[in-house]
Amino acid sequence: MSRSVLVTGGNRGIGLATARALAAEGNKVAVTYRTGEPPSGLFGVRCDVTDPAQVKAAVEEVAIQQGPVEILVSNAGITRDQVLIGMPEEDFRDVMETNFQAAVTVTREVVPAMIKARWGRLIYMSSINSMSGAPGQTNYASAKAAMIGFARSLAIEVGRRNITVNVVAPGMIETDMVQDVTDARRQAALARTALARTGTPEEVAAAVRRAAERGLRVKAVGTGHSFTAAAATDGLLIQPERLAGIHRIDRAAGTVTVGAGTPLKQLNAALAGEGLSLTNMGDIMEQTVSGAVGTGTHGTGRESGSLAAQIAALELVTADGSVLACSAQENPEVFAAARIGLGALGVITSLTFTVEPVFLLTAREEPMSFDRVTSSFDELWADNEHFEFYWFPHTGNCNTKRNNRSAGPPRPLGRAGAWFEDEFLSNGVFEVANRLGRVAPAAIPAIARVSSRALSSRTYTDIPYKVFTSPRRVRFVEMEYALPREAVVEALRELRSMVDRSHLRVSFPVEVRTAPADDIPLSTASGRDSAYIAVHMYKGTPYQAYFTAAERIFTAYGGRPHWGKVHTRDAEYLEGVYPRFGEFRDLRNRLDPERRFRNDYVRRVLGE
Ligand SMILES: Cc1cc2nc3c(=O)[nH]c(=O)nc-3n(C[C@H](O)[C@H](O)[C@H](O)COP(=O)(O)OP(=O)(O)OC[C@H]3O[C@@H](n4cnc5c(N)ncnc54)[C@H](O)[C@@H]3O)c2cc1C
């Protein structure tokens, strides 16, 4: 019998796996999700479960779509791990609110219909730590333990109405939620699991073969930081987190080989510990190495390109279950294409990056007028190894950042200065400004003028990852296009006049970066010197009108969308802007004739 199911937090991890399993059994399954895109094939309802009004609306929407909820899987949860004495009060409260209080709120909304129908199933996702406890998780373990008391009491209250209440308490499951778990804790947790070791490429190959026997499609996923459904699948989802860690450092060759599931932050820290560094990187380092390279993640650079452009070799499990070693010498045509492959050619199990002795970068951040940046863009680009800037819509103000190698000495941002600029201004005040803008869009231009002027110049010198990356806690949706570098100023001016002419209210700055031409078929910088324009919208704010208008401007210049960010392009368009598109397609036909690694997104952007 097909039931109406609601899974909260059902767009990733355990929630998504549960939702898919229930859907596979023929149920009508809806999932709530807070950010990103809903998983394909399931009815997604955007909902912040900590907001009772949104929960009420979501439950009503599900009832209209598929009938009143009969089975609730309350799974939404977050972690904010920290020992109690160092834990900010709000981190405790946020975890209690999302993991426990929200479960109560959702339950209140769904139970009346269950009572009326005299049938219902309430399932709560707790954790083994609710019973065993875990250091750094006083908040999480409390919330998960509260869930057990809640469920036991509720079971007595509603049991005679034929409503059952159950709690599931899983151990450590490899989802993006355990990304922040330290190595020591991961090792301790692994020691408590039956398979106390990391994974191997052969295990991945065996999983791909088993999926093929059962006719399932396969998709590898990183941390799910893409804004597109690049990693979604209705088949087997492979999370290679057990393929994580540094495998080998070859100082003579200047390379490091890492497991595909290694988070960039782990790679950066480990390299720094060895006196080594990547040459260039993007704005954050939460992603896995394989997920980041898979969509062409990049920073800004005059000579140095994306993460994928820094790869010297990779290991790929293909559709027939073979493990291919790929480099410029071995399987060179696979190596060329698989560096940015959207997971469409197979599952990457390890990556070898070219690294160099760690060096110092001096960052100069300086506010500048829009007119000055755009009129001297070519010089700013030519004079700096890494130049980027942010323009604040509705204003003539920009903030520029120039990073150049330096002989030292190191002058890191003082803790207080970094906290004030990065945490307080860039995250705290910016979040408040965005929230204000969401409820009062008319105030956005004034807010933008004030906040863009609040930024001041600063100079600091540090090792690369501390200069390139910074925490981004304000949630947003993003679209980014690569244009021929010589077109970027004109396109940006058009974007500005489009915003000025429109009724749009944009509270997030527009980011402009560059990359040199590279030789990767599906790189956004493939064969042409490029500049990127990225538009953002604060989470929960309608973004379609802004992105559609911006996309129209970018595509008129032959723009290439970032594979991991929102866009509407399809294979027909993309074939026209990627000269080596056919080369990738031919390789895909050879390596994956049955389309084992296809999903809806890949079908749209690469074709059948
Ligand atoms: C706050 C924020 C900041 C960002 N900053 C930048 C930035 O500065 N520059 C930039 O370019 N992008 C940026 N991005 C985009 C982000 O880097 C990409 O979307 C990236 O792909 C996400 O990595 P992930 O590990 O989450 O991978 P996922 O999103 O999980 O997966 C991405 C793709 O990689 C594939 N994949 C993952 N693992 C494997 C594997 N083992 N084998 C084969 N394929 C695999 C997946 O199938 C999918 O197609 C940002 C995103 C966010 C949310």
Side-chain angles (χ1 to χ4, degrees):
M1 180 173 183
S2 174
R3 298 282 186 184
S4 171
V5 181
L6 174 63
V7 183
T8 64
N11 62 332
R12 56 176 62 173
I14 297 176
L16 179 59
T18 309
R20 294 239 180 267
L22 287 164
E25 284 175 7
N27 296 295
K28 296 162 282 184
V29 181
V31 297
T32 67
Y33 66 103
R34 207 168 43 153
T35 52
E37 292 188 23
S40 62
L42 298 171
F43 177 59
V45 194
R46 191 183 278 275
C47 171
D48 178 348
V49 288
T50 61
D51 178 346
Q54 288 191 38
V55 170
K56 189 174 173 44
V59 169
E60 281 168 9
E61 205 179 326
V62 173
I64 292 166
Q65 175 75 16
Q66 60 185 39
V69 175
E70 297 171 283
I71 301 176
L72 168 71
V73 181
S74 176
N75 164 77
I78 56 170
T79 52
R80 298 266 190 284
D81 293 359
Q82 173 70 276
V83 289
L84 183 67
I85 51 168
M87 186 185 291
E89 183 63 28
E90 70 189 83
D91 282 0
F92 203 105
R93 209 170 287 143
D94 283 355
V95 168
M96 288 301 286
E97 255 181 38
T98 308
N99 296 24
F100 174 60
Q101 190 60 45
V104 178
T105 308
V106 181
T107 306
R108 276 186 204 282
E109 289 300 331
V110 299
V111 160
M114 291 179 179
I115 291 177
K116 207 164 157 204
R118 298 194 70 77
W119 197 93
R121 297 288 176 264
L122 296 163
I123 299 153
Y124 298 90
M125 208 56 76
S126 178
S127 159
I128 198 166
N129 289 351
S130 64
M131 288 161 283
S132 61
Q137 291 209 317
T138 48
N139 50 2
Y140 185 78
S142 303
K144 295 297 189 185
M147 211 168 224
I148 297 173
F150 170 75
R152 284 203 171 121
S153 308
L154 185 65
I156 301 167
E157 286 182 15
V158 297
R160 61 202 162 83
R161 315 284 187 130
N162 200 19
I163 300 171
T164 61
V165 187
N166 283 286
V167 175
V168 181
M172 183 158 163
I173 304 290
E174 288 288 4
T175 64
D176 55 358
M177 204 168 170
V178 299
Q179 279 298 308
D180 289 337
V181 171
T182 61
D183 264 358
R185 277 198 39 221
R186 185 177 284 269
Q187 291 312 326
L190 280 178
R192 279 190 269 139
T193 62
L195 206 66
R197 58 176 173 72
T198 54
T200 65
E202 288 68 33
E203 283 177 331
V204 174
V208 171
R209 268 186 246 113
R210 276 198 306 275
E213 279 158 23
R214 292 162 56 201
L216 288 177
R217 297 206 191 279
V218 179
K219 206 78 192 124
V221 65
T223 56
H225 268 71
S226 293
F227 299 91
T228 57
T233 181
D234 52 8
L236 177 71
L237 192 68
I238 293 189
Q239 296 186 290
E241 278 114 328
R242 287 205 302 122
L243 294 169
I246 312 284
H247 294 344
R248 206 168 39 253
I249 293 178
D250 183 339
R251 286 178 188 276
T255 58
V256 58
T257 302
V258 295
T262 310
L264 279 168
K265 58 186 169 193
Q266 187 185 335
L267 172 62
N268 284 331
L271 285 178
E274 296 288 336
L276 298 168
S277 176
L278 292 169
T279 302
N280 197 357
M281 62 197 80
D283 292 340
I284 61 161
M285 48 179 186
E286 301 303 311
Q287 315 93 311
T288 58
V289 289
S290 55
V293 302
T295 61
T297 295
H298 62 91
T300 190
R302 187 182 55 203
E303 285 96 18
S304 54
S306 69
L307 286 169
Q310 297 170 65
I311 296 174
L314 59 88
E315 188 179 65
L316 182 75
V317 171
T318 53
D320 62 3
S322 15
V323 184
L324 284 190
C326 309
S327 66
Q329 291 74 38
E330 247 180 310
N331 297 304
E333 71 298 345
V334 182
F335 172 69
R339 285 174 289 173
I340 298 182
L342 306 170
L345 299 178
V347 181
I348 293 174
T349 48
S350 75
L351 286 164
T352 300
F353 288 95
T354 303
V355 290
E356 53 179 316
V358 71
F359 54 95
L360 290 171
L361 280 175
T362 293
R364 167 86 184 143
E365 293 177 13
E366 187 184 344
M368 244 181 232
S369 72
F370 182 91
D371 291 340
R372 182 166 160 219
V373 179
T374 47
S375 60
S376 48
F377 175 76
D378 287 341
E379 295 94 88
L380 287 163
W381 168 79
D383 291 348
N384 295 287
E385 288 169 76
H386 307 272
F387 174 66
E388 68 182 305
F389 67 95
Y390 292 90
W391 162 59
F392 295 83
H394 312 294
T395 78
N397 304 333
C398 294
N399 200 26
T400 60
K401 185 172 181 188
R402 286 169 272 185
N403 301 331
N404 288 289
R405 283 180 196 235
S406 144
R411 281 190 215 287
L413 281 170
R415 277 176 81 93
W419 179 85
F420 183 74
E421 294 269 342
D422 294 336
E423 278 302 327
F424 183 71
L425 281 185
S426 302
N427 284 311
V429 173
F430 191 47
E431 170 78 42
V432 173
N434 274 288
R435 281 192 197 181
L436 200 66
R438 192 167 59 185
V439 290
I444 285 177
I447 296 172
R449 277 191 294 275
V450 174
S451 57
S452 61
R453 279 202 217 104
L455 294 162
S456 52
S457 300
R458 59 178 186 170
T459 303
Y460 49 96
T461 302
D462 213 330
I463 59 172
Y465 81 83
K466 296 193 176 174
V467 169
F468 285 127
T469 70
S470 58
R472 300 282 155 110
R473 297 196 214 291
V474 184
R475 299 290 179 104
F476 55 86
V477 187
E478 180 176 352
M479 179 173 75
E480 183 179 51
Y481 266 75
L483 311 181
R485 200 183 61 237
E486 60 278 9
V488 72
V489 167
E490 202 180 318
L492 189 66
R493 288 191 179 126
E494 269 184 56
L495 185 73
R496 183 177 178 186
S497 49
M498 180 276 287
V499 171
D500 288 347
R501 282 194 320 268
S502 72
H503 298 295
L504 295 167
R505 293 291 174 261
V506 183
S507 61
F508 242 88
V510 171
E511 186 178 17
V512 178
R513 294 181 280 185
T514 68
D518 65 39
D519 64 350
I520 307 172
L522 291 191
S523 164
T524 45
S526 185
R528 78 181 184 197
D529 289 338
S530 301
Y532 297 85
I533 305 185
V535 293
H536 311 74
M537 239 4 188
Y538 182 53
K539 65 160 186 193
T541 316
Y543 61 83
Q544 285 83 354
Y546 176 38
F547 284 13
T548 304
E551 195 171 36
R552 208 171 291 135
I553 295 171
F554 302 150
T555 51
Y557 290 96
R560 298 170 180 167
H562 189 301
W563 298 106
K565 301 183 183 177
V566 176
H567 70 93
T568 66
R569 299 297 91 188
D570 60 12
E572 196 186 332
Y573 171 88
L574 293 162
E575 185 161 15
V577 292
Y578 279 96
R580 294 173 67 186
F581 196 85
E583 192 182 312
F584 190 94
R585 189 181 38 217
D586 293 347
L587 185 67
R588 184 173 171 230
N589 288 341
R590 175 156 75 77
L591 291 182
D592 187 17
E594 291 175 7
R595 301 296 190 246
R596 183 74 43 223
F597 300 109
R598 187 175 65 194
N599 64 4
D600 290 348
Y601 179 73
V602 163
R603 176 188 280 132
R604 167 158 75 88
V605 297
L606 299 181
E608 284 302 328

